[in-house]
Amino acid sequence: MRSAPSLRPLWHSLLSPALLLGLANPSPAAVPANLAPFVEKNCTGCHDAAEKKGGLDLESAAFDPKDPKNFALWETVFDRVQDGQMPPKKKARPEQASLDAFLRNLAAPLVSADQARLAPEGRSTWRRLNRYEYENSVRDLLGAPWLQIRDALPEDGEAFRFNKVGEALDVSHVQVARYLGAADYALRQALAPKEKRPETKVTRYYTRDEGSYTGKMKFNEFNQAPERATFPTLGFAGQPDVRAAKAPMTVGKANKEQRELEGVGVVASSYEPIEPKFSNFKAPVAGRYKLRLMGQTVWVGPGPDKKWFIPDLDNISKGRRSEPITVYSDTTPRQLRRQGTFDLTPEPAVHELDVWLLAGETIRVDAGRLFRSRPGAGRWQNPLAEKDGQPGVVFRWLEVEGPFFEQWPPAGHQLMFGDLPFKKSDTPGTPVEVVSTKPKEDATRLLKGFLQTAYRHPGAESEMSRFLPVIENALKTGSSFTDSMIAGYTAVLCSPAFVCVEEKPGKLDQHALAARLSYFLWNSAPDKELRDLATKGTLSKPDVLKAQTERLLNDPKAGRFTEAFLAYWLDLRKIQATSPDSTLYPDYYLDDLLAESAEEETVAFFNELIHSNLPTRNLVSSDFVMVNERLATHYGLPGFEGVQIRKVKLPADSPRGGLITQASVLKVTANGTTTSPVLRGGWVLERIMGKPVPRPPPNIPAVEPDIRGTVTLRQQLDKHRDQTSCASCHSRMDPPGFALENFDVMGAWRDTYRAAGAGKPPVPGIAKSGQKFEFSLGLPVDATGELADGRKFGNIRDFKTLLLTDEKQLARNLVRQFAVYATGAPVRFGDRPAVEKILQASASKNYGVRTLIHSLVQSELFQSK
């Protein structure tokens, strides 16, 4: 079977006058003369009035691209022929010249009709900002990076895979109410937190003064064993008298030198019931702080004789290796926000993190490699315990410096109230009360400045008449000046001009272009530099636009783009939606370090593709991975220590490299208990190859894996494909899924499936929970397959090689994903010529990912509504 024709030559003459004139003579309902011979020769033998295979009758089909349903029919015909699915491989393939001519002649009227249909209103529809965009826009406007308002807003709808498309971002009374609440909360949080500037100071919190550390030294019904207890140390020595309450918990201020050596240790990670945190510290106000944590790793001696696995909490010595530490901010009840990571070393050292905290948050640290004791029917055992002891960590103190303020009052407060004086407020939720001796004049002046900054286009003064009455009415009814102004500002932050993206049909004006670029690469409103260029009318100049695209990509805010884009394109936001089954996958159960590292890997990998402008083919196969120690171990790579993600070159025979063999992707395409070639294969086709398959017919039951290990899903699918209605799609979906069958629900390599149930010897081992493994080995994995076009592969490496034969299609799909995300509109048939131009402009750079972004931004597709 011949390969599908390249799309490049097909678009050169799509809208040529000769072709359009050739289509003018036939009746609108008749198949044009330049299409009919091909259809009759290659299609109607199966798709006629008698056969109607696939429910398609091309013998009597009309040809009227102006009609949306008829357009969709012929678009499907184009795609099936272009992809080589039709005519089917059992029939003789047409000559390449005949195929090219048919596709060219069919594309021309489809493109023309599609572009004509969209011309009056443009590609993109009116839409509101999604939750990500709204939160970032408010944060940047008020200069408050710590604001958390996303979760206060309703979940966004999705269309064409993203939460950026207008038709899925509806507005209801519930959403309006939520926006009002979120805006009011944000504005009050941005006020000066105190009457006077909070002092930036350094405070040290010793673990010996923290009840959540020292309280776990005592044994009770929830803390029954040494593995679940904390222990005191002095340097690297245990303190049995302190642990037995025969000596004071701390020398305190009486001996400053000795106090610096006092610490509290654990051999388990932070999990119920061991959840130590520095509760004596609570962030006095929201803002930026520096955290310094002092501690070291230790080795805890074994218990006596046959109970060697029980730690002797009085037998402490220097650690044998570093331990990864994750720092969380914590609010009741267990609302954790990950703030950063570092490696605690055998040598006592201070580790510093720069963080943004909410008022009232405290600090919790977790030694993620250590085990998490979960009682079962029998005893538990630390899987890291050895005959001569087990690892542990000791924390001596936490030092907090802050809060830091770049200006006083804070930027958000100054935006709202300028230099007006303020005093302490008695109103809950409002820290200060602003004082105005001329409320009407001040309200007019302040509202005007706020509007000019908040709105993304000029002419904000014209909106004064809408919002000033809100403030004036509030003042008349007895509200304070502060509350009245916040009522007006809340209305601004909930107005269509702020909440919604405003674009007019045709080429975007300068300010709309600035907003589109900023919401593409920063997920937020344009900054002053973009707005100034838009006001000057120079932003759309190619060299200026290129320089600004570079500036935005090089800014830390570009991380918002990477995270949000991957959250929806690859479904990374769902990585915590399922947990590995505690019976079949106990080695992953409770392993937050693995799940967090997996997500971090994918974000770091895509950032590397952008910043180094690596070819798009790296999405499928790269000679490197971005991993830390936990992932390297998971992937079977040469070991190293450290929690920080780094670029690691792969061995030549490694199955890793690219997106589809990353733990995060393999986790979101599994359910925590089993893997499905159908789901994974469909995911690869849609997300990576850009060739989605139709939804399954109704009333066709799903094929469920057999967790007993007696029948593989492949064997079940072989029978499933015997059904005619299933075969056409499964012949495309199943092979990519089969290629990934060597990877389990968390992305580790496997040669054999895991099985549950009695009667089989369990695999030896101890889980992170401390319980023995209960799973056994089932049938061997078969990762061979045959693509729909007849090409065969023997494993994942072969499959990647087959995908790389069409690098342009990989780049085409990525451009389409970028285009949907950036413009808030699907890539329709009429947009295909524009996509091909972007690819043509990027070909000389091997479709580098950064080049694709630049080429998209420079395109008419990006710069038009």
Side-chain angles (χ1 to χ4, degrees):
M1 181 175 176
R2 304 179 74 170
S3 61
S6 169
L7 285 178
R8 179 179 295 177
L10 300 181
W11 304 109
H12 291 332
S13 57
L14 285 184
L15 300 179
S16 69
L19 275 175
L20 295 178
L21 286 173
L23 296 172
N25 293 326
S27 165
V31 176
N34 57 0
L35 299 177
F38 184 95
V39 172
E40 183 177 350
K41 180 179 179 181
N42 298 287
C43 306
T44 55
C46 297
H47 302 292
D48 59 3
E51 291 282 338
K52 283 189 178 180
K53 286 194 174 181
L56 179 61
D57 174 13
L58 291 180
E59 185 178 41
S60 55
F63 188 82
D64 185 10
K66 294 181 180 179
D67 176 74
K69 289 186 178 179
N70 188 264
F71 179 95
L73 183 152
W74 288 102
E75 181 182 17
T76 301
V77 171
F78 180 95
D79 288 339
R80 295 290 176 85
V81 174
Q82 190 272 323
D83 287 343
Q85 298 177 46
M86 293 292 160
K89 60 183 180 180
K90 65 182 179 181
K91 296 187 66 175
R93 294 292 292 166
E95 292 294 325
Q96 191 66 51
S98 176
L99 277 170
D100 289 348
F102 173 75
L103 291 171
R104 184 168 56 250
N105 293 336
L106 177 56
L110 294 181
V111 169
S112 179
D114 202 27
Q115 293 182 346
R117 183 162 45 247
L118 296 175
E121 295 296 330
R123 297 176 58 255
S124 58
T125 58
W126 176 95
R127 74 172 180 93
R128 63 171 171 82
L129 301 179
N130 62 41
R131 300 193 308 163
Y132 292 72
E133 295 168 327
Y134 188 79
E135 179 179 76
N136 288 329
S137 297
V138 173
R139 283 176 171 179
D140 292 347
L141 173 68
L142 300 178
W146 37 265
L147 272 175
Q148 302 289 315
I149 59 175
R150 182 192 312 171
D151 291 339
L153 302 174
E155 190 73 42
D156 296 314
E158 298 172 42
F160 306 98
R161 199 170 301 114
F162 292 102
N163 62 341
K164 291 264 194 174
V165 181
E167 62 190 63
L169 295 172
D170 58 340
V171 177
S172 67
H173 69 281
V174 173
Q175 285 161 326
V176 172
R178 293 283 190 89
Y179 274 105
L180 286 168
D184 179 83
Y185 168 81
L187 291 164
R188 294 181 189 278
Q189 288 289 304
L191 288 169
K194 301 283 184 180
E195 183 180 3
K196 295 183 179 180
R197 180 172 185 151
E199 179 186 357
T200 299
K201 56 184 180 179
V202 179
T203 306
R204 184 169 294 182
Y205 301 88
Y206 292 93
T207 54
R208 293 292 183 94
D209 296 330
E210 298 289 342
S212 65
Y213 276 91
T214 60
K216 299 298 189 300
M217 292 183 191
K218 301 175 183 179
F219 294 94
N220 55 49
E221 59 179 321
F222 298 108
N223 186 34
Q224 302 168 5
E227 297 97 321
R228 303 175 80 172
T230 57
F231 53 89
T233 62
L234 187 65
F236 288 104
Q239 292 184 291
D241 287 348
V242 173
R243 195 168 71 85
K246 296 178 181 179
M249 182 61 65
T250 175
V251 296
K253 297 179 180 179
N255 188 331
K256 183 177 179 181
E257 183 176 340
Q258 183 173 329
R259 192 182 197 192
E260 292 299 310
L261 298 175
E262 293 177 342
V264 179
V266 290
V267 297
S269 60
S270 180
Y271 200 69
E272 301 176 82
I274 312 171
E275 299 177 279
K277 52 190 174 184
F278 290 88
S279 301
N280 288 332
F281 164 73
K282 286 183 173 56
V285 298
R288 187 170 70 88
Y289 295 80
K290 286 186 183 295
L291 306 179
R292 301 181 186 96
L293 197 67
M294 173 62 163
Q296 77 264 7
T297 64
V298 294
W299 189 256
V300 182
D305 304 326
K306 294 183 179 180
K307 294 188 177 181
W308 56 268
F309 50 85
I310 297 178
D312 179 355
L313 301 182
D314 298 323
N315 182 5
I316 312 299
S317 59
K318 189 175 183 179
R320 298 181 179 180
R321 54 152 292 157
S322 64
E323 292 293 344
I325 302 297
T326 303
V327 178
Y328 299 93
S329 55
D330 186 3
T331 54
T332 304
R334 294 193 185 94
Q335 297 296 312
L336 302 180
R337 296 195 303 125
R338 188 170 183 260
Q339 294 289 350
T341 59
F342 62 85
D343 291 304
L344 198 65
T345 57
E347 291 294 334
V350 177
H351 304 270
E352 184 174 285
L353 294 175
D354 203 337
V355 302
W356 292 92
L357 299 178
L358 302 176
E361 283 188 311
T362 187
I363 300 301
R364 173 170 158 178
V365 291
D366 181 23
R369 194 181 76 96
L370 304 186
F371 93 118
R372 290 182 163 177
S373 61
R374 306 302 294 159
R379 68 168 176 82
W380 66 82
Q381 177 179 320
N382 184 348
L384 300 179
E386 300 177 23
K387 290 293 181 70
D388 63 342
Q390 54 195 276
V393 295
V394 168
F395 300 108
R396 298 188 183 182
W397 46 257
L398 168 72
E399 192 172 81
V400 182
E401 182 178 2
F404 296 98
F405 290 96
E406 294 183 2
Q407 60 189 70
W408 185 260
H413 182 106
Q414 290 195 19
L415 173 64
M416 291 186 282
F417 294 103
D419 57 358
L420 290 178
F422 54 91
K423 60 183 181 180
K424 183 180 179 181
S425 171
D426 296 326
T427 304
T430 305
V432 297
E433 181 64 48
V434 178
V435 179
S436 170
T437 57
K438 300 178 180 179
K440 289 188 177 180
E441 291 88 338
D442 285 337
T444 301
R445 172 178 59 85
L446 293 171
L447 177 62
K448 181 179 179 181
F450 188 88
L451 275 168
Q452 289 173 334
T453 305
Y455 276 13
R456 299 180 289 273
H457 57 77
E461 297 88 342
S462 63
E463 299 289 312
M464 289 285 292
S465 60
R466 296 180 58 194
F467 302 111
L468 192 57
V470 175
I471 300 172
E472 293 173 341
N473 289 336
L475 289 170
K476 289 178 183 178
T477 56
S479 295
S480 68
F481 180 74
T482 305
D483 286 343
S484 299
M485 292 304 300
I486 287 179
Y489 295 150
T490 298
V492 172
L493 297 188
C494 295
S495 66
F498 186 84
V499 174
C500 302
V501 176
E502 293 186 288
E503 298 171 344
K504 297 178 181 179
K507 194 171 182 66
L508 297 178
D509 64 41
Q510 297 288 307
H511 287 277
L513 179 60
R516 178 167 284 188
L517 181 64
S518 187
Y519 279 112
F520 175 30
L521 297 179
W522 279 0
N523 245 355
S524 185
D527 65 352
K528 186 177 185 301
E529 184 168 337
L530 277 176
R531 294 175 66 163
D532 287 347
L533 289 170
T535 300
K536 293 177 183 177
T538 58
L539 179 59
S540 59
K541 292 183 177 180
D543 57 337
V544 175
L545 193 55
K546 181 178 180 180
Q548 288 301 306
T549 302
E550 276 293 296
R551 181 176 71 89
L552 267 62
L553 284 173
N554 291 330
D555 192 278
K557 289 181 183 177
R560 298 171 177 176
F561 156 63
T562 308
E563 292 175 9
F565 178 72
L566 297 179
Y568 282 85
W569 176 40
L570 303 181
D571 284 336
L572 279 198
R573 70 193 187 283
K574 298 179 181 179
I575 195 168
Q576 299 288 1
T578 60
S579 296
D581 184 85
S582 60
T583 298
L584 282 173
Y585 292 97
D587 38 345
Y588 310 141
Y589 180 60
L590 303 177
D591 196 341
D592 289 348
L593 178 61
L594 176 57
E596 290 174 351
S597 298
E599 185 175 6
E600 195 176 358
E601 173 196 13
T602 302
V603 173
F605 177 79
F606 202 73
N607 278 332
E608 177 66 13
L609 298 189
I610 293 174
H611 293 307
S612 298
N613 198 24
L614 298 179
T616 304
R617 63 174 175 267
N618 284 276
L619 294 176
V620 167
S621 181
S622 62
D623 62 359
F624 70 94
V625 287
M626 306 292 291
V627 295
N628 58 14
E629 177 189 3
R630 180 66 188 91
L631 283 171
T633 301
H634 190 60
Y635 291 166
L637 299 176
F640 59 85
E641 285 188 19
V643 72
Q644 300 304 320
I645 295 288
R646 65 203 74 180
K647 188 175 182 178
V648 175
K649 188 171 179 60
L650 288 168
D653 61 344
S654 175
R656 302 292 172 175
L659 285 175
I660 61 176
T661 52
Q662 289 182 7
S664 64
V665 166
L666 294 161
K667 185 177 190 298
V668 299
T669 55
N671 63 13
T673 302
T674 58
T675 61
S676 168
V678 178
L679 296 178
R680 279 183 171 172
W683 191 95
V684 171
L685 283 171
E686 180 183 358
R687 310 304 174 94
I688 306 300
M689 300 170 66
K691 297 182 178 181
V693 296
R695 292 183 176 274
N699 303 320
I700 299 296
V703 182
E704 300 295 339
D706 179 5
I707 64 172
R708 299 167 302 172
T710 57
V711 180
T712 66
L713 190 57
R714 175 188 287 269
Q715 293 167 336
Q716 293 172 273
L717 286 171
D718 287 341
K719 295 181 179 180
H720 196 61
R721 280 195 298 272
D722 290 341
Q723 301 181 53
T724 305
S725 60
C726 302
S728 61
C729 290
H730 278 276
S731 64
R732 297 174 58 205
M733 286 191 301
D734 296 354
F738 290 149
L740 294 172
E741 276 296 86
N742 277 121
F743 302 96
D744 67 19
V745 299
M746 200 63 212
W749 183 268
R750 64 184 176 192
D751 294 306
T752 307
Y753 294 101
R754 295 185 180 186
K760 299 178 181 179
V763 171
I766 299 174
K768 195 178 184 70
S769 64
Q771 297 297 315
K772 292 182 179 180
F773 291 169
E774 297 181 12
F775 69 88
S776 56
L777 298 181
L779 296 174
V781 171
D782 180 1
T784 63
E786 179 180 340
L787 299 183
D789 60 12
R791 292 179 295 168
K792 297 181 179 180
F793 58 86
N795 52 43
I796 183 61
R797 301 176 192 84
D798 295 343
F799 176 70
K800 288 182 177 182
T801 300
L802 295 180
L803 288 189
L804 292 179
T805 59
D806 194 356
E807 293 183 28
K808 188 175 184 181
Q809 176 58 27
L810 299 174
R812 181 179 293 114
N813 175 59
L814 185 58
V815 169
R816 288 176 173 176
Q817 307 307 321
F818 283 155
V820 177
Y821 182 90
T823 67
V827 175
R828 298 179 174 87
F829 199 96
D831 300 323
R832 294 187 186 189
V835 170
E836 297 307 306
K837 287 183 180 179
I838 293 171
L839 293 173
Q840 187 175 4
S842 308
S844 63
K845 298 291 185 180
N846 297 312
Y847 308 116
V849 176
R850 196 180 190 92
T851 298
L852 291 178
I853 292 173
H854 274 290
S855 298
L856 171 63
V857 171
Q858 295 287 338
S859 72
E860 183 180 351
L861 192 67
F862 183 88
Q863 297 184 35
S864 301
K865 181 180 184 292

